[in-house]
Amino acid sequence: MSETVVTTIFDETPAGKAYERRETCYDLKRDSLRAHNRYRKDHGSPPMVWNDDLAKNAQEWAEEIAVKGLLVHHTQREEGENIAAAGQKAGFFTGRKAAELWYSENEFYDYNDPGLNIKAGHFTQLIWAESLQLGVGKALSPTNGMQFIVARYFPAGNEKLDFPDNIKPKGTPPPEPDNQSEE
């Protein structure tokens, strides 16, 4: 992945001095993948791997919604999707911060009544065990300064009948690797 700058914003220190902050595609990839895999491990989900095609799709959608200045999901359903936005006053919005925001919805998920919960949909997509590939994009709105982060997942999560198999409580150990050799 290239070192192309995807975001440059001007932030302020606590003392009120402005400074330029840059984030490369590599930074976004590293931060996003680490945060996702840390949360997934806590719930017994296998680690994700980066997918450049998903990242390209996420970047294109992030740019489109940034131009509109609206937080809206894409109509495609082949890939899972999480979206987050933050204003400039929130500081520099990273892949880690977006994952933290999505993960915070865990308080709304009821493990005793598994299923789709609109208040926890970002959380469940983040830790969905069968979603094994991740791509993330980020864009800055030219009109209102909002920072948009879009994550795409494959296979898509939040399938109605599969919640018990894919969403486990915190502290669930990861599955044992399949060490059986084929004969």
Side-chain angles (χ1 to χ4, degrees):
M1 184 168 254
S2 76
E3 286 295 313
T4 305
V5 173
V6 293
T7 306
T8 300
I9 66 169
F10 294 90
D11 209 346
E12 285 191 20
T13 65
K17 295 182 180 180
Y19 68 95
E20 184 179 34
R21 173 98 187 243
R22 292 175 172 239
E23 179 180 55
T24 65
C25 293
Y26 175 78
D27 296 330
L28 183 64
K29 173 183 174 178
R30 182 193 63 230
D31 290 350
S32 300
L33 198 55
R34 282 182 181 169
H36 274 73
N37 285 336
R38 184 183 75 228
Y39 290 127
R40 291 171 63 81
K41 182 179 180 182
D42 288 347
H43 290 267
S45 296
M48 301 186 104
V49 297
W50 189 259
N51 180 304
D52 286 334
D53 290 331
L54 291 175
K56 177 182 174 285
N57 295 344
Q59 184 63 38
E60 288 172 358
W61 188 244
E63 290 171 3
E64 188 169 330
I65 62 176
V67 167
K68 295 176 184 176
L70 298 172
L71 192 64
V72 60
H73 283 281
H74 198 285
T75 56
Q76 66 79 34
R77 296 288 175 243
E78 295 81 32
E79 301 166 356
E81 181 178 79
N82 278 346
I83 301 177
Q88 287 185 334
K89 289 184 179 183
F92 200 67
F93 197 42
T94 64
R96 180 186 55 80
K97 287 182 181 178
E100 285 174 4
L101 182 66
W102 297 324
Y103 186 79
S104 71
E105 294 179 2
N106 69 2
E107 68 180 281
F108 301 112
Y109 190 74
D110 183 357
Y111 295 95
N112 296 316
D113 186 20
L116 186 59
N117 176 337
I118 196 158
K119 291 182 179 180
H122 297 106
F123 161 70
T124 53
Q125 175 58 83
L126 189 150
I127 68 163
W128 194 264
E130 291 177 1
S131 293
L132 299 174
Q133 298 175 43
L134 173 69
V136 179
K138 180 177 177 181
L140 182 65
S141 173
T143 57
N144 62 15
M146 294 288 289
Q147 303 166 75
F148 291 85
I149 293 182
V150 175
R152 291 284 179 89
Y153 305 84
F154 190 82
N158 291 340
E159 295 297 322
K160 292 180 183 179
L161 300 177
D162 294 336
F163 278 83
D165 293 331
N166 283 281
I167 305 299
K168 304 292 184 190
K170 189 171 184 175
T172 301
E176 292 292 323
D178 186 6
N179 291 330
Q180 297 176 354
S181 60
E182 293 181 25
E183 294 182 34

